Amino acid sequence: MSSTAPDAAASFLAEIRFDTAGLVPCIAQQHDTGEVLMMAWMNAEAVAETLATGRVCYFSRSRNALWRKGETSGQQQVLVDLRLDCDGDTLLALVDQTGVACHTGRRSCFFRAIRDGAVATLADPLVDPKALYGA
């Protein structure tokens, strides 16, 4: 998806029901496989930037700042489509993910589940997080 016309973006933003902190949850899903990659928060500025640039931008609650996915790790998300749920309080970003989506080095943040009566890890890291973030 390339950038969205300003009038369409403004209309879309007006439909979103942000919470009392000015945030809305956004699920990121790989557009061609349906794989759920991650959940993050967006504020109005992050939504507007995402629609204007076609690169997904979130709001980091821990840093209290915009978080442009991939700006430090290189693991970018290019927006294919941005959808709003029926209640207007959750977004679905269909993306083309470059590399891994999770800060743990895994493709998806959803890598734990109950198996045989215990919590199990379903996927190993594909990339060392230190290589992504220099930590």
Side-chain angles (χ1 to χ4, degrees):
M1 175 178 184
S2 58
S3 63
T4 302
D7 288 347
S11 295
F12 189 82
L13 272 164
E15 296 289 324
I16 299 172
R17 290 182 38 214
F18 294 96
D19 68 13
T20 56
L23 301 174
V24 63
C26 180
I27 303 293
Q29 182 178 31
Q30 179 63 33
H31 75 98
D32 53 354
T33 66
E35 178 183 23
V36 176
L37 300 170
M38 58 180 280
M39 190 292 278
W41 297 94
M42 289 183 157
N43 63 6
E45 188 178 1
V47 173
E49 181 174 315
T50 297
L51 292 171
T53 66
R55 281 203 43 218
V56 182
C57 177
Y58 298 106
F59 181 80
S60 170
R61 295 178 301 163
S62 62
R63 291 178 283 202
N64 196 34
L66 291 180
W67 161 34
R68 292 162 184 92
K69 182 70 174 158
E71 68 185 341
T72 56
S73 68
Q75 311 299 298
Q76 297 179 15
Q77 292 176 347
V78 174
L79 186 66
V80 174
D81 200 13
L82 189 61
R83 299 178 183 180
L84 183 60
D85 80 334
C86 57
D87 295 321
D89 62 0
T90 304
L91 295 172
L92 174 65
L94 299 176
V95 303
D96 190 11
Q97 173 72 47
T98 299
V100 299
C102 185
H103 73 280
T104 67
R106 292 169 175 87
R107 174 76 178 162
S108 170
C109 293
F110 299 95
F111 60 87
R112 293 181 284 205
I114 298 172
R115 296 291 186 268
D116 299 321
V119 177
T121 298
L122 305 177
D124 293 325
L126 300 174
V127 179
D128 183 345
K130 292 177 186 170
L132 293 174
Y133 305 104

